[in-house]
Amino acid sequence: MVQSQIAPLMELLVCQADTFGLSLSSDEALLMVKHLFMVIEKNRQVNLTKITDPHDAIVRHYIDSLLFVKALEESHCPSACSLDSLQFLDLGTGAGFPGIPFSIVTKMGGLLIDSTTKKTRAVQDFLVDLGLNSRISVMSIRAEDLALCRATSFDLVLVRAVAKLSILIEYASPLLKPNGLLISSKAHIEADEVVHAEKVAQLCGMKLVSRGTYDLPRASGHRELFCFMKTAHASLDLPRKPGMAVHRPL
Ligand code: SAH
């Protein structure tokens, strides 16, 4: 870790988070900067991210992940009140996004999953080194398989950059508790993807409850965050076999 870079990166993170109304303590900012340096270091052996410039990563990984906290607050869902008693799932976590920054800020316990074992091994090391392994665990498993052993276990499912919205709805539905929320961030979304997602949501017992647009700082583009609530039983048997959601979309 380059010591002289730590303070300016923490300052950038605190300052940018503040523009979204999120006030980070210096301990929280330091944990995120430490995670960033671990990701950059590990990225030499395992393909975790294309964003290797630390300043860019502060915005595109950490501020971007903290938008999930904003979206949860702005969903006005009753479960969003007592965050530290909830359990989240980060589906397709990669290097730990958005789950690690999200938990650093909310103190919520959760599970990070990814189907790629090389990535989950790296994330397991990050969690131990950051001292977060008592409240966050990580597993190498596909979402469809997790739904067989951990059905209706999660209050929140967070997803960034994994698949189309309709596919994420199909993955999340069997994993969510009643009234649980799926929060998904999208950089670009066409109107017909949203229309299709709402149809699939109906089949899966879910409903769109909020949708917010945020501009990332440093001209890093905008994001739309969608919140879908599990409001009823799905009208089809879920999960379908691994791969079906992608290859035989609803
Ligand atoms: N969320 C991270 C990683 C995005 S890349 C970020 O925003 O940086 C998408 C990740 O999802 C990949 O690591 C891939 O292995 C994982 N993935 C894709 N489909 C999955 C599934 N069905 N179950 C679990 N992980 C999945």
Side-chain angles (χ1 to χ4, degrees):
M1 185 151 61
V2 188
Q3 291 295 329
S4 61
Q5 286 189 310
I6 296 174
L9 290 171
M10 283 173 63
E11 203 178 307
L12 175 64
L13 182 51
V14 169
C15 181
Q16 297 296 355
D18 189 60
T19 64
F20 289 95
L22 296 168
S23 89
L24 299 185
S25 70
S26 52
D27 284 353
E28 291 167 346
L30 180 60
L31 274 181
M32 288 187 233
V33 172
K34 281 185 174 167
H35 174 238
L36 168 59
F37 281 104
M38 290 175 193
V39 172
I40 291 173
E41 180 60 33
K42 195 72 185 180
N43 206 41
R44 297 177 208 272
Q45 306 142 27
V46 180
N47 186 13
L48 292 173
T49 179
K50 291 194 182 80
I51 303 167
T52 49
D53 172 68
H55 293 83
D56 226 19
I58 288 290
V59 172
R60 291 173 188 262
H61 283 322
Y62 296 88
I63 297 298
D64 199 20
S65 294
L66 296 181
L67 293 180
F68 285 76
V69 182
K70 271 313 277 174
L72 177 61
E73 281 174 10
E74 288 172 5
S75 72
H76 300 298
C77 289
S79 56
C81 299
S82 50
L83 293 188
D84 53 4
S85 62
L86 304 180
Q87 281 291 314
F88 75 89
L89 172 71
D90 179 357
L91 194 166
T93 191
F97 303 113
I100 291 179
F102 180 86
S103 177
I104 288 173
V105 170
T106 60
K107 316 294 179 246
M108 199 185 291
L111 175 64
L112 315 178
I113 64 163
D114 202 286
S115 49
T116 307
T117 308
K118 272 189 198 166
K119 295 186 183 179
T120 54
R121 281 210 194 107
V123 170
Q124 173 62 25
D125 292 344
F126 300 159
L127 292 174
V128 171
D129 292 348
L130 294 167
L132 293 173
N133 53 321
S134 57
R135 73 166 183 263
I136 312 176
S137 37
V138 57
M139 271 172 88
S140 172
I141 190 167
R142 293 186 64 97
E144 303 93 309
D145 291 324
L146 185 72
L148 296 173
C149 54
R150 297 282 300 274
T152 57
S153 298
F154 299 95
D155 301 283
L156 279 178
V157 173
L158 313 175
V159 206
R160 189 183 81 152
V162 173
K164 280 169 71 175
L165 211 42
S166 54
I167 295 172
L168 303 178
I169 289 166
E170 179 176 345
Y171 288 157
S173 170
L175 289 159
L176 283 167
K177 292 181 187 171
N179 298 323
L181 280 187
L182 161 69
I183 308 182
S184 168
S185 165
K186 289 272 163 189
H188 308 285
I189 190 152
E190 303 290 338
D192 55 358
E193 186 181 337
V194 181
V195 172
H196 179 58
E198 288 202 85
K199 282 190 192 142
V200 171
Q202 215 170 7
L203 285 175
C204 295
M206 305 203 25
K207 200 174 95 186
L208 182 62
V209 288
S210 67
R211 175 179 178 173
T213 305
Y214 305 90
D215 284 315
L216 284 176
R218 297 162 58 99
S220 304
H222 81 271
R223 298 285 183 269
E224 272 205 76
L225 277 91
F226 290 83
C227 297
F228 285 86
M229 186 183 275
K230 180 81 191 282
T231 50
H233 288 292
S235 58
L236 72 164
D237 252 354
L238 293 177
R240 294 195 288 159
K241 290 203 178 87
M244 292 277 274
V246 174
H247 299 299
R248 300 269 306 277
L250 292 173

